[in-house]
Amino acid sequence: MKGAVIRLLLLMVLLAIISRAQVLRADSGTPVMLAAGALLLCGLFAGKVAKGLGLPRLTGYLLVGVAVGPYVLGFIPNAGVKGLELVKGLAVSLIALVAGTELRLGLIRRVGARVALLCAAVCGVTFLVCFGATFALKPFLPFLADMTVPQALAVSALLSTVVVSFSPTVTIAIVQETSARGAFTEFLMALVIIGDLLVMVAFALAAGLTKASFGGGLDVTELLGGVGWELFGSVVVGLVLAVGMLIYMRGVKRELPLFLVGLCFAAAEGGTRLHLSPLLVSLAAGALIANLDEHAGERIHNAIQQAGLPVFALFFAAAGAGLKLDSLLTVGPAAMLLVALRGVAIWFSCRRFAPADDPRLKRYLWMGLISQAGVTFGLAALVSRTFPTFGPQVEVLIVAMITAHELVGPVLTRRALAASGEIRADDAQGTA
Amino acid sequence: MQALLVFLSIAALSLLASSRALDPGRFPALARLAASGFLFVLLGIFLGPSVAGVLSERHLEAMRPVMALGLGTAGVLLGLNLEPRLLRLLPRSVYLSGLAHSGTAFFFVALPLLVPLVFTSVRGLLGAVGAAAMLGAAASLSSGHSAVLAWRAGRLDRARGLGVALLTMLDDAVGLGVLALALMIGAASNVGEGLGLVCLALLLGVMCGALLAFLTHSLKDLAELTTVTLGGVVLVSGAAAYLRVSPLLAGVACGATLAVVGGRTSERVARALGRVERPVFLVLVFLVGCAVHARDYWAWVLMPAFVGLRFLGKMLGGRFARRLVQQTLVLPPRLGYALIAQGGLALCLVAEYGMLVPGVLARRVLDVVVMGAVVNELLAGQAFQYVVDPPRSISANSTDGHKVAA
């Protein structure tokens, strides 16, 4: 670990020199590649340091991103971090593809119904708690204070829907890192994935209601069409991708990691432009491949482990650098209250509704559900774009919550997996 | 979305280029362009803003970080290939020979073309001198690829193949030196500031190279080594682009430092980097092609002069070089014909110049060199026949030369 710390410090010294040298120039060039290189290297060595301290590597990536990012040391300008959006889409797509290969029909038959029931209960309870708290905070939240009661109810529902969401990205990355395998891990992964599907549907409905409450009218056909396209369209596109991958794997058989990175990049970019869910597209592709050809699923898993290290280190370090710490100052108290209430709601619903046949679910499952990352960021940005009058303020509140969840979530997820006794390796090669 | 389409078309084209569809027997010129990557230059010109317009100027501006990454990677690879031990062993006559043939081509192109450049320059004599120097530098470069391929195919004996390759490697140093000089003149408001920027690029490269050597020193895992190598290359290219200095020069300094201080690690790093060399090069030459302004009529006028003068310079320079080095290095007869292919570094030089020196003249230099390089690549295939299959009279001379060298 000492070597990793020295390397990390040297990297930071170099970054400090570069950022000082920039002062010599009247106008600077594009900082995107600087951000990419710096976050990749810092993330990698910070991951080693975190592992040495008994923390998930992912926490190391996130924390070093926060440290060198624009809000703490300022070695990497904000424009550089924003320029890495493409990498974020790619990482989500790759992670979802791996997750998809875990979704076998046998697993879905075995735990599908129980997971769906528990997911509905956890999401329902958390939604109700957050919804009630947000509405109760109406006089103290500037964006809600001037709204009518129906409007405030609709916006509270919209915000609470986003707040409920989990992070499949973090969960899957931690599972990959620790090589965790077993019933508890399967249950946790299935729950975060299904939870996000539920949130997507709920978000579309809440956004439609909010539009209606602000005088936009409620177009049920458009609403259902949008949700249907996002869900079923994503699955269909995912299935097409899966067929393409299988043809490539049987026909070309070369450079699979490179091919998968290219395809996931196309899925992420194309999916976003077509208003599909890149997560769902890749998830469906991975699931179909794993169920049609188990060997091909394993090859994809191994190939992504090869190509995944740089992408994931960069993704999470960039996510850390993008965390708006200043938003914690402005909406901190309200955000922290909602974070605490969400945590309590998840803990309570897991204790109350988790299947009794496995006591680990009642005790530890809640810890794996605290993280929030890519999907929540995406929904928050969507709120900001769709409702320009109050959306940006809602986004600030949600991002403040994500900041808190990103810092504690990965640690809790790893602790849940460790407590369940399903961690197989301390340092699995590859992904996270 | 357009950028995505372009990336997908590059991927498709690279699959096509590596497949058997381009049979050298049926389409020799096309196969040659595909093998050298110059087909991607043509694709870039076609899709770029001045022809089909699939990529606009705005897209190209957004792709600048990718261009910087490509230049930085090319620089690091060049720097890594510098073998200080080997360079120290080379006798002075080899350096003189390299300087003779590249210098002749340089002056044959730079001096005559300075005149039209002065007339079309709005930045005065100094700007025109910088632009002419860049044209000369691009002309001085040659690719040793054909000689190495011919040697591997048994069409050229090993000593001659390596001799040509060695001379072309020494050209690269001349080209990079001229680039540094041209950037000193053109990339800043005065020469002193320009010198400072070049020094900053080199210093940045040295620091990154030393750090990369230290970071990769004890890494055993291949995935980690590849990740750190890629990260180091992205960092040096990105830092240079951020500070608006040359990623190519910074990359060369980084690679050379790594080669000097890295020991065996530098070989592992070179191998790791070698895996991404081809795709990065193809994307880079594609973007260089996109930057060509095919409707600049002055460039079309200057291009034949550039190709013709370079040809003459290489012929004469090749003769000088052969005469200077005949005691120590075995070279083929009609050496000039082996030096016609221009190689990717010429494109890198003018792309770098175009990025850092504003104005119409830098763009025109890029247009002339890129289009000229495609023509030279096509000519090189035919010209090399004279090297591997010389006329009878030349064969007789060469036998004498071979005896001397042996």
Side-chain angles (χ1 to χ4, degrees), chain B residues 211-236:
Chain B
L211 184 63
L212 191 56
F214 182 65
L215 295 182
T216 49
H217 177 61
S218 56
L219 286 181
K220 301 275 185 296
D221 181 51
L222 185 66
E224 277 189 352
L225 179 76
T226 309
T227 305
V228 175
T229 303
L230 291 180
V233 174
V234 175
L235 181 66
V236 69

Short mmCIF file of all heavy atoms in Angstrom, two decimals, chain B residues 211-236:
data_model
loop_
_atom_site.label_atom_id
_atom_site.label_comp_id
_atom_site.label_asym_id
_atom_site.label_seq_id
_atom_site.Cartn_x
_atom_site.Cartn_y
_atom_site.Cartn_z
N LEU B 211 7.69 9.83 -14.49
CA LEU B 211 6.63 9.34 -13.60
C LEU B 211 6.06 8.01 -14.10
O LEU B 211 5.83 7.08 -13.32
CB LEU B 211 5.51 10.39 -13.50
CG LEU B 211 4.39 10.06 -12.54
CD1 LEU B 211 4.91 9.96 -11.11
CD2 LEU B 211 3.28 11.08 -12.59
N LEU B 212 5.88 7.94 -15.43
CA LEU B 212 5.34 6.70 -16.00
C LEU B 212 6.29 5.52 -15.75
O LEU B 212 5.85 4.41 -15.45
CB LEU B 212 5.10 6.90 -17.51
CG LEU B 212 4.30 5.82 -18.24
CD1 LEU B 212 2.96 5.60 -17.59
CD2 LEU B 212 4.10 6.19 -19.70
N ALA B 213 7.58 5.80 -15.86
CA ALA B 213 8.57 4.74 -15.58
C ALA B 213 8.43 4.27 -14.14
O ALA B 213 8.48 3.06 -13.85
CB ALA B 213 9.98 5.26 -15.84
N PHE B 214 8.23 5.22 -13.22
CA PHE B 214 8.10 4.86 -11.81
C PHE B 214 6.77 4.13 -11.55
O PHE B 214 6.73 3.14 -10.82
CB PHE B 214 8.18 6.13 -10.96
CG PHE B 214 8.10 5.86 -9.48
CD1 PHE B 214 9.11 5.15 -8.84
CD2 PHE B 214 7.02 6.30 -8.74
CE1 PHE B 214 9.03 4.89 -7.48
CE2 PHE B 214 6.94 6.04 -7.38
CZ PHE B 214 7.94 5.34 -6.74
N LEU B 215 5.71 4.62 -12.18
CA LEU B 215 4.39 4.00 -11.94
C LEU B 215 4.33 2.56 -12.44
O LEU B 215 3.68 1.71 -11.85
CB LEU B 215 3.28 4.81 -12.64
CG LEU B 215 3.02 6.23 -12.15
CD1 LEU B 215 1.87 6.85 -12.93
CD2 LEU B 215 2.67 6.25 -10.67
N THR B 216 5.00 2.31 -13.58
CA THR B 216 4.91 0.98 -14.18
C THR B 216 6.00 0.03 -13.68
O THR B 216 5.99 -1.15 -14.02
CB THR B 216 5.02 1.07 -15.72
OG1 THR B 216 6.16 1.86 -16.04
CG2 THR B 216 3.80 1.67 -16.35
N HIS B 217 6.92 0.57 -12.86
CA HIS B 217 8.11 -0.18 -12.49
C HIS B 217 7.81 -1.56 -11.89
O HIS B 217 8.33 -2.56 -12.34
CB HIS B 217 8.95 0.65 -11.51
CG HIS B 217 10.16 -0.07 -11.02
ND1 HIS B 217 11.14 -0.50 -11.90
CD2 HIS B 217 10.55 -0.47 -9.80
CE1 HIS B 217 12.07 -1.10 -11.21
NE2 HIS B 217 11.74 -1.11 -9.93
N SER B 218 6.92 -1.60 -10.90
CA SER B 218 6.74 -2.89 -10.20
C SER B 218 5.39 -3.54 -10.52
O SER B 218 4.94 -4.41 -9.79
CB SER B 218 6.86 -2.67 -8.69
OG SER B 218 5.93 -1.69 -8.30
N LEU B 219 4.75 -3.07 -11.60
CA LEU B 219 3.43 -3.64 -11.92
C LEU B 219 3.60 -5.00 -12.59
O LEU B 219 4.29 -5.12 -13.60
CB LEU B 219 2.65 -2.71 -12.84
CG LEU B 219 2.08 -1.44 -12.21
CD1 LEU B 219 1.31 -0.64 -13.25
CD2 LEU B 219 1.15 -1.77 -11.05
N LYS B 220 2.96 -6.00 -12.03
CA LYS B 220 3.08 -7.36 -12.59
C LYS B 220 1.87 -7.70 -13.47
O LYS B 220 2.01 -8.37 -14.48
CB LYS B 220 3.17 -8.38 -11.45
CG LYS B 220 4.36 -8.16 -10.51
CD LYS B 220 5.62 -8.81 -11.06
CE LYS B 220 6.77 -8.72 -10.08
NZ LYS B 220 7.22 -7.37 -9.80
N ASP B 221 0.70 -7.22 -13.02
CA ASP B 221 -0.53 -7.57 -13.71
C ASP B 221 -0.62 -6.86 -15.07
O ASP B 221 -0.42 -5.64 -15.15
CB ASP B 221 -1.71 -7.18 -12.82
CG ASP B 221 -3.03 -7.54 -13.46
OD1 ASP B 221 -3.16 -8.69 -13.88
OD2 ASP B 221 -3.92 -6.67 -13.56
N LEU B 222 -0.90 -7.65 -16.12
CA LEU B 222 -0.91 -7.09 -17.48
C LEU B 222 -2.00 -6.03 -17.65
O LEU B 222 -1.78 -4.98 -18.27
CB LEU B 222 -1.11 -8.23 -18.49
CG LEU B 222 -1.02 -7.80 -19.95
CD1 LEU B 222 0.38 -7.33 -20.31
CD2 LEU B 222 -1.43 -8.95 -20.87
N ALA B 223 -3.19 -6.31 -17.08
CA ALA B 223 -4.30 -5.35 -17.21
C ALA B 223 -3.94 -4.02 -16.56
O ALA B 223 -4.21 -2.95 -17.11
CB ALA B 223 -5.57 -5.92 -16.59
N GLU B 224 -3.29 -4.11 -15.41
CA GLU B 224 -2.90 -2.87 -14.71
C GLU B 224 -1.82 -2.13 -15.48
O GLU B 224 -1.86 -0.91 -15.60
CB GLU B 224 -2.40 -3.21 -13.30
CG GLU B 224 -3.52 -3.37 -12.31
CD GLU B 224 -3.02 -3.48 -10.88
OE1 GLU B 224 -1.80 -3.57 -10.65
OE2 GLU B 224 -3.87 -3.48 -9.99
N LEU B 225 -0.88 -2.89 -16.02
CA LEU B 225 0.21 -2.26 -16.79
C LEU B 225 -0.36 -1.53 -18.01
O LEU B 225 -0.01 -0.39 -18.30
CB LEU B 225 1.22 -3.33 -17.25
CG LEU B 225 2.37 -2.78 -18.09
CD1 LEU B 225 3.38 -2.05 -17.22
CD2 LEU B 225 3.05 -3.86 -18.88
N THR B 226 -1.30 -2.21 -18.70
CA THR B 226 -1.92 -1.58 -19.87
C THR B 226 -2.68 -0.34 -19.45
O THR B 226 -2.60 0.71 -20.12
CB THR B 226 -2.87 -2.59 -20.55
OG1 THR B 226 -2.17 -3.81 -20.75
CG2 THR B 226 -3.38 -2.08 -21.88
N THR B 227 -3.41 -0.44 -18.35
CA THR B 227 -4.20 0.71 -17.90
C THR B 227 -3.30 1.89 -17.54
O THR B 227 -3.57 3.03 -17.93
CB THR B 227 -5.04 0.30 -16.66
OG1 THR B 227 -5.81 -0.83 -17.00
CG2 THR B 227 -5.95 1.42 -16.23
N VAL B 228 -2.22 1.62 -16.80
CA VAL B 228 -1.33 2.72 -16.40
C VAL B 228 -0.64 3.31 -17.63
O VAL B 228 -0.50 4.53 -17.75
CB VAL B 228 -0.28 2.22 -15.37
CG1 VAL B 228 0.72 3.31 -15.05
CG2 VAL B 228 -0.98 1.79 -14.09
N THR B 229 -0.24 2.44 -18.56
CA THR B 229 0.40 2.95 -19.79
C THR B 229 -0.55 3.87 -20.55
O THR B 229 -0.18 4.99 -20.94
CB THR B 229 0.81 1.77 -20.70
OG1 THR B 229 1.67 0.92 -19.95
CG2 THR B 229 1.52 2.24 -21.93
N LEU B 230 -1.78 3.38 -20.75
CA LEU B 230 -2.74 4.20 -21.47
C LEU B 230 -3.01 5.50 -20.72
O LEU B 230 -3.08 6.58 -21.31
CB LEU B 230 -4.06 3.43 -21.67
CG LEU B 230 -4.00 2.24 -22.62
CD1 LEU B 230 -5.36 1.57 -22.71
CD2 LEU B 230 -3.57 2.69 -24.01
N GLY B 231 -3.15 5.39 -19.40
CA GLY B 231 -3.39 6.58 -18.59
C GLY B 231 -2.25 7.58 -18.72
O GLY B 231 -2.48 8.78 -18.85
N GLY B 232 -1.01 7.07 -18.73
CA GLY B 232 0.15 7.96 -18.85
C GLY B 232 0.17 8.68 -20.19
O GLY B 232 0.43 9.89 -20.26
N VAL B 233 -0.17 7.94 -21.24
CA VAL B 233 -0.17 8.56 -22.58
C VAL B 233 -1.30 9.59 -22.68
O VAL B 233 -1.11 10.69 -23.21
CB VAL B 233 -0.33 7.47 -23.67
CG1 VAL B 233 -0.49 8.09 -25.03
CG2 VAL B 233 0.87 6.56 -23.66
N VAL B 234 -2.45 9.23 -22.14
CA VAL B 234 -3.58 10.19 -22.16
C VAL B 234 -3.21 11.43 -21.34
O VAL B 234 -3.51 12.56 -21.73
CB VAL B 234 -4.86 9.52 -21.61
CG1 VAL B 234 -5.99 10.53 -21.51
CG2 VAL B 234 -5.30 8.37 -22.49
N LEU B 235 -2.53 11.21 -20.21
CA LEU B 235 -2.18 12.34 -19.35
C LEU B 235 -1.20 13.29 -20.05
O LEU B 235 -1.42 14.51 -20.05
CB LEU B 235 -1.55 11.82 -18.05
CG LEU B 235 -1.15 12.89 -17.03
CD1 LEU B 235 -2.37 13.60 -16.49
CD2 LEU B 235 -0.39 12.28 -15.87
N VAL B 236 -0.17 12.75 -20.67
CA VAL B 236 0.81 13.64 -21.31
C VAL B 236 0.18 14.36 -22.50
O VAL B 236 0.39 15.57 -22.69
CB VAL B 236 2.11 12.88 -21.69
CG1 VAL B 236 1.94 11.91 -22.81
CG2 VAL B 236 3.22 13.85 -22.07
#
